Amino acid sequence: MTPLQGCLLVSALLFAIGFAGAVSRRHAILALVGIELMLNAANLNFIAFWRYGAHPELLTGVMFVIFSIAVAAAEAAVGLALVIAIYRHYKTSNLDEVKDLQG
Amino acid sequence: MIWIVKNLWLIPVLPLVASGIIAVNKQPQRKLAAGLAIGSMVGAFLLSLCAFATTLGHGGGEGHEAFREVFGFNWLQFGGADNWLQLGWVLDPLTAIMLVMVTFVGTLIFIFSIGYMAHDQNFMRFFCFLALFASGMLGVVIANNLLLLFISWEIVGLTSYLLIGFWYHKPSAAAAAKKAFITTRIGDLGLLIGMVWLYAETGTLNFYDHGKGCLEHSALTAMLAHATIGGMLVTTAIGLLIFLGAVGKSGQLPLHVWLPDAMEGPTPVSALIHAATMVAAGVFLVARVYPLMAAGALTGEHGAPVTTALTVVTWVGALTAFFAASIAVAQNDIKRILAYSTVSQLGYMMLGLGVGGVAVGMFHLITHAFFKALLFLGSASVIHGCHEEQDIRKMGGIKKYMPITFAVYAIGMLALAGFPLVFSGFWSKDEILHAAHGWSVSQVPFYLGCAGALFTAFYMTRQVALVFFGSYRGHQEESAQGHAAPSAHAPAKSADHSAHGSSHGHDPHESPAVMTVPLMILAGFAIILGFVGTPAWPWFDGYLTGEETTFSLGRLWEPATRNLMIASAVIVFTGLGLGWFLYGKRQRQTAGERDVLEVAQPFVFKVLQNKYYIDEIYEATFIRLNALTAIFCDFADKWIFGGLVKLVSGLTVTLAWLYKFTDEFFVNQGFDAGCGSLRAGGGFLSKLHAGRVQTYLRIIGVALVVLILFLIWGQKA
């Protein structure tokens, strides 16, 4: 197994764990945590493909990941703000009870 | 313009207003009704006298033209700016003499009616109609316009209908009214067509209009210029159509059938309308349009014009005069005898117009109006006195009970029969016969006239002998009923006859003064009127034509005149003698006894008694044809046209059902199904919106996996 395959395997596991968490957790914050995990799995893929790719000297992978982490930080802030707003409105943070979009 | 000419319209309008006031008043005001009607007639009479005096003052003096003043006004505009229908009136001797006659006779008959109708429930209605009639009649007389004449003519026809059917609860009266109306309507159609045609030809309906009227020289010359179908002159055709109106109104052959039936009305009505005035309107109409009829004449021997139209008038008149007089011989109803006598005398007037001109016919019209009104009112007095009995076989000996009535009736009878020298009927009839004798076309009308005169004298003698002489047969009625039934021509009995049945035991009684005084006045005129038109002093002739007349007894002894006078006197005396010999000398004893003539000539008598079966012939032909046509039309309406309509409606209904069916079961169902499936689809789709973000995420995840699997398989393939 090459280092790249190891990295991809780890990132796939990480994504799967994050997806499972985002999909199955009832609590809004835990779902948000799951989303962060999936995001980081993607970041890990960026790094891995850069490090073991054709041009490791160009630092493109690192640039992408730094951007991505910055965006993820902002996204986490927005996400947490939304969770608080939802809690204030519905007096709960259980996502099963927040279903106003139901048809 | 002379005052009276301008205000001539007042004469017909006075009775019209009276009639209107009576019509709107509440029922039982007898005095008001009679007073208004008679007052308006007296007013009209005084105005008529004014008019008459005006024409007298101007006649003769100005050359050979009779006095004539017209007044016209625009009535109705149509078409172009100068297309006006005019109405207007004319004052000439013809109008004036008719005005005086109608208003005078009318006034007397109105007064008489107070007595005659005293017990009638509908006294007000009677006077309302009478006044309306007088108004219409006077309108006919003054009209200077065929249109105004036609309007008045129809008013007169309407009132005639109303008054014949005055006792409308009697079926016979209602039927007679309808018969009169419809029969005269046939003639009126001719008059209307003639009127329209005349307007088409000349562009005016005014009789006289200072040279522009349709009876004046320029219009007549223009009309004479061209012929119509079969080479007939336009004037002839129009003249004959107008004459058709006169035939209907004046009861000439073959439209005479309504006049005897018109005796169903109250007797004063018979006197005023169906003897003196209205039936004379036809004669007056012919006299009025005489210039039209005489247009383009070849002047005859004695100066009287001869044209196709006038020849027809002559023949119709002569045949009617003879024919009706012969029917009168065999009638038993006192009023029917007089009715046929009226028809016959109207025939004489037409004959006079045809052979001798306006003056001859009009003279007889005027004298006849007086003595026939007298006779009718006299018969009314007799009927009234005999408790509504009209069958002369059940009268007799009334001379004793009603001396005044007998005296005046005898005068009227002698005047009608033409008793020589003294009575007016002699002079007027003699003038007609004289003119007929001189007619250049044929002598037959003259002989028909003579035969009619013989019959006239005969049947009047028969009537007077049966009514006034002998002994009263009214009491025998009950016992004679059985014998009378087979041969009796059932006289029209008024509905209140049965009410009077119990009073048959009473003797006849003389009528009150309100009835006898008018009779005496009329009797006076029946005598003296003759003297204005004798051959010795033909004032009447001169008055109408505007020529100077002189008095000369010598003319009576000119051979032609003298011989004719002697001949006509012989005829009259033969008739009188024969009548007296057959009916006066040997009086019938019972009411049921067979007539002397019936015994001698049963067949001829039966034919005459049944009026030559004219009614039956009409019944079998025209009326049956009419009924068949009606039945056919009804059939066609019901089954052919109605069937078509029903078919269309049925088709429409079926189509509508079809539409409804498709709507309900196909369109609606389909629509409903569509809606249902849409709703179901919507419901299904809405289920997808669980509203849970995580579910969406899950779906995205599954879809991602599917996509990846698809891509991997795609690469492999």
Side-chain angles (χ1 to χ4, degrees):
Chain A
M1 184 162 45
T2 60
L4 178 63
Q5 283 172 323
C7 281
L8 289 179
L9 199 62
V10 171
S11 103
L13 280 174
L14 200 60
F15 186 88
I17 293 165
F19 185 74
V23 166
S24 59
R25 299 314 287 194
R26 295 279 179 275
H27 204 281
I29 290 178
L30 289 177
L32 211 56
V33 169
I35 289 167
E36 290 300 318
L37 277 180
M38 287 195 289
L39 206 61
N40 284 319
N43 287 345
L44 190 59
N45 265 14
F46 272 125
I47 295 297
F49 282 118
W50 167 67
R51 180 65 183 78
Y52 303 108
H55 305 287
E57 71 282 355
L58 289 179
L59 293 175
T60 48
V62 182
M63 290 290 288
F64 257 106
V65 171
I66 288 169
F67 261 110
S68 177
I69 288 171
V71 170
E75 181 241 304
V78 172
L80 282 171
L82 275 173
V83 170
I84 290 164
I86 286 168
Y87 181 79
R88 288 217 179 119
H89 194 76
Y90 292 102
K91 304 290 176 218
T92 179
S93 54
N94 187 346
L95 284 177
D96 280 353
E97 290 171 32
V98 181
K99 45 182 183 179
D100 272 14
L101 281 177
Q102 185 181 26
Chain B
M1 186 170 289
I2 306 156
W3 177 86
I4 185 70
V5 175
K6 219 170 186 175
N7 292 289
L8 207 60
W9 58 274
L10 276 172
I11 296 176
V13 164
L14 274 177
L16 185 68
V17 170
S19 155
I21 295 175
I22 298 169
V24 298
N25 262 295
K26 282 203 311 201
Q27 269 301 312
Q29 302 187 19
R30 286 163 182 256
K31 275 189 185 142
L32 175 88
L36 267 175
I38 292 169
S40 70
M41 277 310 270
V42 170
F45 175 58
L46 294 177
L47 282 171
S48 304
L49 278 185
C50 275
F52 183 61
T54 313
T55 57
L56 270 187
H58 289 68
E62 307 161 4
H64 286 312
E65 272 300 306
F67 177 85
R68 178 170 293 132
E69 286 280 352
V70 297
F71 183 86
F73 60 92
N74 288 341
W75 181 52
L76 189 74
Q77 189 186 19
F78 64 96
D82 49 352
N83 251 340
W84 281 93
L85 270 185
Q86 281 201 320
L87 291 187
W89 42 86
V90 58
L91 181 61
D92 61 1
L94 188 63
T95 302
I97 195 77
M98 279 295 280
L99 279 179
V100 173
M101 185 279 278
V102 171
T103 51
F104 184 61
V105 175
T107 310
L108 291 180
I109 293 176
F110 278 29
I111 294 170
F112 182 89
S113 304
I114 302 176
Y116 190 81
M117 301 299 284
H119 306 300
D120 202 280
Q121 288 282 315
N122 297 305
F123 192 80
M124 298 264 297
R125 182 157 63 89
F126 184 75
F127 272 95
C128 175
F129 290 165
L130 270 193
L132 183 61
F133 164 76
S135 162
M137 186 67 207
L138 294 169
V140 169
V141 172
I142 67 165
N144 179 34
N145 188 292
L146 205 49
L147 187 65
L148 181 60
L149 190 144
F150 188 71
I151 294 169
S152 311
W153 182 272
E154 293 300 324
I155 293 176
V156 161
L158 169 73
T159 47
S160 165
Y161 164 80
L162 291 172
L163 284 166
I164 295 171
F166 185 73
W167 287 318
Y168 53 80
H169 46 75
K170 277 162 55 183
S172 58
K178 265 190 289 183
K179 189 172 178 181
F181 200 67
I182 292 167
T183 314
T184 49
R185 191 62 53 257
I186 297 170
D188 292 354
L189 185 64
L191 176 54
L192 183 62
I193 296 171
M195 185 169 91
V196 173
W197 195 349
L198 187 63
Y199 188 80
E201 288 291 332
T202 63
T204 176
L205 287 174
N206 287 351
F207 294 136
Y208 302 101
D209 192 9
H210 306 296
K212 287 180 303 217
C214 62
L215 294 186
E216 283 168 309
H217 188 69
S218 59
L220 289 179
T221 331
M223 272 195 286
L224 281 174
H226 44 120
T228 174
I229 321 144
M232 199 198 278
L233 284 172
V234 173
T235 53
T236 309
I238 296 173
L240 286 179
L241 281 168
I242 293 177
F243 178 60
L244 191 60
V247 166
K249 209 57 136 194
S250 286
Q252 301 294 293
L253 277 177
L255 298 179
H256 69 286
V257 289
W258 68 271
L259 190 51
D261 284 15
M263 299 304 135
E264 290 293 342
T267 311
V269 169
S270 310
L272 177 62
I273 300 183
H274 306 118
T277 57
M278 186 195 86
V279 288
V283 180
F284 172 77
L285 176 63
V286 175
R288 178 55 93 199
V289 299
Y290 190 80
L292 179 73
M293 299 232 173
L298 317 155
T299 306
E301 259 176 72
H302 291 264
V306 174
T307 62
T308 320
L310 285 176
T311 309
V312 172
V313 172
T314 306
W315 279 106
V316 169
L319 284 173
T320 309
F322 170 75
F323 170 86
S326 67
I327 294 177
V329 167
Q331 299 300 311
N332 288 323
D333 185 319
I334 185 169
K335 281 177 74 180
R336 262 170 203 273
I337 296 175
L338 293 178
Y340 277 106
S341 150
T342 306
V343 174
S344 158
Q345 298 303 311
L346 291 166
Y348 273 110
M349 295 172 208
M350 289 295 185
L351 173 63
L353 286 174
V355 296
V358 176
V360 178
M362 285 304 292
F363 185 39
H364 195 53
L365 191 159
I366 301 293
T367 58
H368 171 261
F370 280 91
F371 61 69
K372 189 48 71 67
L374 167 64
L375 282 172
F376 262 105
L377 294 185
S379 78
S381 177
V382 169
I383 294 167
H384 200 68
C386 289
H387 315 288
E388 317 302 324
E389 181 57 66
Q390 299 196 359
D391 192 335
I392 55 172
R393 290 169 306 186
K394 293 174 189 160
M395 296 174 181
I398 290 173
K399 179 174 65 159
K400 191 170 61 188
Y401 304 102
M402 307 171 79
I404 303 175
T405 306
F406 167 67
V408 295
Y409 202 90
I411 291 172
M413 167 256 176
L414 290 173
L416 174 57
F419 194 85
L421 296 178
V422 184
F423 296 97
S424 59
F426 172 74
W427 299 110
S428 55
K429 199 181 286 179
D430 193 58
E431 202 178 337
I432 291 173
L433 291 179
H434 188 259
H437 189 61
W439 201 40
S440 52
V441 179
S442 162
Q443 286 291 299
V444 178
F446 170 68
Y447 293 118
L448 283 173
C450 289
L454 177 70
F455 280 133
T456 308
F458 177 72
Y459 66 69
M460 284 316 291
T461 317
R462 170 176 181 264
Q463 188 192 38
V464 168
L466 285 179
V467 172
F468 289 103
F469 291 92
S471 57
Y472 186 54
R473 294 181 293 271
H475 302 304
Q476 308 161 342
E477 196 196 8
E478 284 76 16
S479 60
Q481 204 102 59
H483 304 286
S487 67
H489 158 248
K493 290 177 182 171
S494 59
D496 47 359
H497 179 232
S498 53
H500 277 282
S502 56
S503 63
H504 264 296
H506 299 304
D507 285 334
H509 58 82
E510 183 58 281
S511 302
V514 73
M515 289 163 81
T516 51
V517 171
L519 284 176
M520 289 188 271
I521 298 173
L522 282 173
F525 277 92
I527 296 175
I528 61 168
L529 263 183
F531 296 115
V532 300
T534 61
W537 188 49
W539 174 85
F540 191 82
D541 205 284
Y543 170 63
L544 283 185
T545 55
E547 280 169 30
E548 207 72 62
T549 52
T550 51
F551 180 77
S552 138
L553 268 177
R555 266 202 294 271
L556 280 177
W557 289 107
E558 280 168 18
T561 320
R562 188 186 58 209
N563 292 347
L564 255 173
M565 273 168 63
I566 292 170
S568 98
V570 167
I571 289 169
V572 171
F573 281 122
T574 314
L576 291 175
L578 212 59
W580 182 250
F581 177 71
L582 288 177
Y583 292 97
K585 235 176 93 186
R586 202 201 66 82
Q587 271 286 334
R588 57 166 63 227
Q589 297 307 312
T590 61
E593 205 174 288
R594 296 214 304 163
D595 200 278
V596 192
L597 279 182
E598 197 180 356
V599 176
Q601 285 287 341
F603 175 72
V604 175
F605 190 81
K606 200 161 161 49
V607 168
L608 291 181
Q609 191 169 41
N610 287 299
K611 313 144 207 164
Y612 293 102
Y613 296 98
I614 294 274
D615 272 329
E616 282 75 10
I617 291 169
Y618 284 173
E619 182 80 42
T621 53
F622 294 111
I623 297 178
R624 176 153 319 158
L625 191 70
N626 193 22
L628 282 178
T629 318
I631 290 169
F632 172 73
C633 286
D634 181 51
F635 174 81
D637 250 13
K638 248 187 200 157
W639 299 108
I640 299 178
F641 303 117
L644 266 176
V645 170
K646 277 206 179 113
L647 196 72
V648 170
S649 82
L651 219 65
T652 317
V653 168
T654 317
L655 268 178
W657 271 101
L658 212 66
Y659 275 129
K660 193 187 164 198
F661 183 77
T662 35
D663 250 15
E664 271 180 4
F665 292 93
F666 292 99
V667 179
N668 276 9
Q669 292 285 355
F671 207 73
D672 282 356
C675 285
S677 56
L678 270 181
R679 191 181 294 130
F684 170 71
L685 285 176
S686 79
K687 289 227 173 72
L688 290 179
H689 280 270
R692 291 203 193 105
V693 185
Q694 285 171 314
T695 316
Y696 302 157
L697 195 59
R698 222 173 276 159
I699 291 167
I700 289 169
V702 171
L704 191 69
V705 171
V706 170
L707 181 66
I708 288 166
L709 285 176
F710 180 72
L711 286 176
I712 289 169
W713 270 344
Q715 262 179 352
K716 277 193 181 152

